[in-house]
Amino acid sequence: MIGGVFIYNHKGEVLISRVYRDDIGRNAVDAFRVNVIHARQQMRFPVVNIARTNFFYTKRSNIWMCAVTKQNINASMVFEYLNKMIDIMQSYFGKISEENIKNNFVLIYELLDEILDFGYPQNSDPGILKTFITQQGIRPVTREEQANVTSSVTGQIGWRREGIKYRRNELFLDVIESVNLLMSQQGQVLSAHVAGRVVMKSYLSGMPECKFGINDKITVENRLKPHSDSTSGTPGLSGNSSSMPATNGNTQTPSSSSTSATTKTSIAIDDCQFHQCVKLSKFESEHSISFTPPDGEFELMRYRTTKDISLPFRIIPLVREIGRTKMEVKVVVKSNFKPTLIGQKIEIRIPTPPNTCDVQLLCMKGKARHKSSDNAIIWKMKRMGGMKESQLSAEIELLPNDKKKWNRPPISMNFEVPFAPSGFKKQSNGLDISEKVDYMKQDANIIRLLAKNLHKASTSVRGHSYFKKN
């Protein structure tokens, strides 16, 4: 398992150092600083092996978080732990910064001792941790708090404490999707899949039970089984997993039709993963998601689909090489959704050769600039309507280079559109919330309206065929 956890600042100075196993020494701290933080070339991979020691790291702002081990362990588990540790620290003292880490280093050491036991991840739920670890440190636990801890750890609803009250009861639901695309040089889609998340913000009183359904014609082929981690005393790290068939149903094939983005009545989900609060038995029998939500923001569901994806944009790149010192690039982007819809925050990154010395840009819409530090042209547009087209032209001057031929990395595109490319949506009957108290019944319609109208998708497209030669 994990042998040690280190936190560095941008200079490579150690802010937090916690070693769990004897096979990790002080030399591991210096090895990561020299080979990763102070490396001449930026590391492209989040995992590196130095002197038979594996380093798993992630960066937030100017802070490096690194987990070290000499064993061949599950990389996904390590990164899930690092991200969960960041979420826990943010829930205690807000932004992850060098100043905040120094001011709360005692608290961080307490959290590291609670979350990891001899390198094995333990309880990582912020709500449970806050019942016996306060921002000022460990304090005497009263009988009432001790009863709350016992109820949280051993009770049926360990992710939500009792007695929560709000003057105004609200529930927000966001659908966030990431589109990954592989395209040939002829413009043919070789593979495409959507990774989606359903994120909720819950501000409800009492112990409410929420219920809503997703697209009508989803059928479950394999029996849903809880993930092993959800019953092993580590809530929050994995949740529950489920499996669904990849059937077509009434979905449409990906095309440039302006109606394909919003007319789907069903979605073929390949696999999905739920938060531990979801009742899998009801999902299997009723095809609806029933749960008692944690307080605050949480991730209710993750899913992945590879069938009938409506691609919101299409990128057509073209390059013409003029000798060895000049290159002409033309990139056309087309929107494939309804004219009444608008895509926002569009950013296209077009890679350029490392030996680029000058770039002349001309774009029909938005702003474009060459960022030499990233070897890329950054093209930004605030918004773009449906069934529209825009174009960028660039003349690139190159320095003479005798090295191997440039392998042309992929074009990447980030944008936001007001629909889910996978076709994911709630059923038309909205969101039902049941609670025994009267004021919850009165506010149920308000909550249903908010949850119904806050449906959005923030997506990212990557194309792995860069240029089509003229």
Side-chain angles (χ1 to χ4, degrees):
M1 282 291 107
I2 299 175
V5 176
F6 307 120
I7 301 179
Y8 303 81
N9 61 8
H10 66 285
K11 299 179 181 179
E13 299 172 349
V14 181
L15 303 178
I16 300 293
S17 174
R18 181 67 173 90
V19 177
Y20 297 94
R21 292 177 176 264
D22 297 335
D23 56 353
I24 303 299
R26 183 69 183 179
N27 55 344
V29 179
D30 300 329
F32 182 79
R33 178 193 301 114
V34 173
N35 292 277
V36 178
I37 299 179
H38 293 165
R40 293 184 178 180
Q41 295 182 351
Q42 185 178 1
M43 299 293 293
R44 298 181 59 186
F45 306 102
V47 182
V48 61
N49 184 280
I50 305 172
R52 298 183 179 180
T53 304
N54 298 317
F55 294 85
F56 304 82
Y57 63 91
T58 183
K59 189 177 181 182
R60 291 293 186 274
S61 300
N62 292 325
I63 301 299
W64 296 77
M65 294 195 63
C66 176
V68 187
T69 181
K70 286 186 175 291
Q71 302 178 14
N72 185 17
I73 63 176
N74 189 334
S76 299
M77 183 274 295
V78 178
F79 287 114
E80 185 73 15
Y81 161 76
L82 292 176
N83 292 328
K84 201 65 182 179
M85 183 64 196
I86 292 174
D87 294 340
I88 292 172
M89 289 193 296
Q90 288 177 340
S91 67
Y92 271 93
F93 50 83
K95 183 180 179 182
I96 303 295
S97 64
E98 181 178 355
E99 183 180 359
N100 286 343
I101 291 177
K102 289 181 178 179
N103 293 336
N104 298 276
F105 75 97
V106 175
L107 174 62
I108 294 175
Y109 276 111
E110 293 178 3
L111 293 173
L112 289 174
D113 290 337
E114 288 292 337
I115 297 175
L116 280 182
D117 185 7
F118 197 58
Y120 290 90
Q122 303 296 313
N123 190 0
S124 61
D125 186 86
I128 297 177
L129 291 173
K130 286 184 178 180
T131 58
F132 53 89
I133 296 182
T134 65
Q135 196 170 5
Q136 292 77 22
I138 299 177
R139 59 185 177 87
V141 180
T142 63
R143 292 184 178 180
E144 182 180 359
E145 292 172 340
Q146 188 174 5
N148 290 337
V149 172
T150 305
S151 175
S152 299
V153 174
T154 61
Q156 295 181 354
I157 305 179
W159 54 88
R160 184 182 180 92
R161 62 182 177 87
E162 296 183 357
I164 299 176
K165 292 184 179 180
Y166 288 98
R167 289 187 176 180
R168 182 177 180 181
N169 296 277
E170 296 178 329
L171 184 66
F172 302 91
L173 184 147
D174 295 336
V175 178
I176 304 173
E177 292 191 343
S178 175
V179 182
N180 296 275
L181 173 68
L182 180 64
M183 186 178 293
S184 67
Q185 293 183 352
Q186 291 74 28
Q188 180 183 3
V189 177
L190 301 178
S191 66
H193 75 270
V194 171
R197 299 186 302 128
V198 179
V199 180
M200 302 194 75
K201 292 183 180 180
S202 171
Y203 305 103
L204 302 176
S205 303
M207 299 292 286
E209 182 175 347
C210 305
K211 179 180 178 182
F212 72 93
I214 55 179
N215 306 35
D216 302 328
K217 296 188 178 180
I218 292 181
T219 57
V220 178
E221 201 172 65
N222 299 327
R223 219 175 217 186
L224 301 179
K225 296 182 179 179
H227 197 279
S228 58
D229 288 347
S230 66
T231 58
S232 60
T234 59
L237 279 178
S238 297
N240 299 327
S241 64
S242 64
S243 176
M244 293 187 177
T247 56
N248 288 331
N250 292 336
T251 54
Q252 300 178 359
T253 56
S255 65
S256 60
S257 172
S258 62
T259 61
S260 62
T262 56
T263 59
K264 293 183 180 180
T265 58
S266 64
I267 176 175
I269 294 182
D270 294 327
D271 56 73
C272 60
Q273 183 179 8
F274 293 104
H275 189 274
Q276 60 176 345
C277 66
V278 176
K279 298 179 180 179
L280 296 182
S281 58
K282 289 191 176 181
F283 182 77
E284 184 180 24
S285 60
E286 303 175 8
H287 302 161
S288 62
I289 300 176
S290 179
F291 59 98
T292 298
D295 188 46
E297 183 175 356
F298 68 101
E299 185 179 276
L300 179 67
M301 174 185 177
R302 291 184 186 181
Y303 61 92
R304 185 176 66 89
T305 178
T306 58
K307 301 292 183 180
D308 306 324
I309 299 173
S310 301
L311 302 178
F313 293 94
R314 184 183 178 189
I315 298 178
I316 305 174
L318 182 67
V319 63
R320 186 163 68 97
E321 296 180 0
I322 306 174
R324 300 182 59 185
T325 60
K326 193 172 182 180
M327 178 185 296
E328 291 184 355
V329 176
K330 178 181 177 181
V331 177
V332 178
V333 57
K334 297 181 178 180
S335 57
N336 296 331
F337 44 86
K338 280 186 175 182
T340 55
L341 302 177
I342 296 177
Q344 297 181 341
K345 299 180 181 179
I346 302 170
E347 178 179 314
I348 304 174
R349 299 177 69 91
I350 307 167
T352 57
N355 57 332
T356 300
C357 63
D358 187 33
V359 179
Q360 299 294 330
L361 296 170
L362 177 63
C363 57
M364 297 172 53
K365 188 175 182 180
K367 297 181 180 180
R369 64 185 179 92
H370 177 246
K371 192 173 182 180
S372 57
S373 60
D374 293 345
N375 292 325
I377 296 173
I378 312 297
W379 183 16
K380 293 184 178 181
M381 291 179 282
K382 291 184 178 180
R383 56 179 58 192
M384 185 175 183
M387 305 304 295
K388 298 291 183 180
E389 178 180 322
S390 189
Q391 177 180 317
L392 177 140
S393 301
E395 293 185 0
I396 303 175
E397 295 185 6
L398 308 174
L399 296 173
N401 188 6
D402 296 331
K403 296 182 180 180
K404 63 180 181 179
K405 190 177 180 180
W406 184 46
N407 59 359
R408 293 175 181 171
I411 292 178
S412 63
M413 182 177 183
N414 296 323
F415 55 86
E416 291 185 2
V417 290
F419 62 89
S422 68
F424 184 97
K425 59 183 178 181
K426 295 190 295 86
Q427 288 181 347
S428 58
N429 56 357
L431 175 66
D432 295 329
I433 302 175
S434 60
E435 174 59 88
K436 295 181 179 179
V437 293
D438 294 335
Y439 60 82
M440 182 62 65
K441 294 180 180 179
Q442 296 174 0
D443 292 345
N445 292 330
I446 300 177
I447 300 170
R448 182 178 301 176
L449 181 61
L450 290 171
K452 194 173 181 179
N453 291 339
L454 286 173
H455 182 278
K456 67 180 181 179
S458 175
T459 58
S460 171
V461 172
R462 294 185 180 275
H464 285 266
S465 74
Y466 178 31
F467 289 127
K468 181 170 61 178
K469 288 192 175 181
N470 200 5

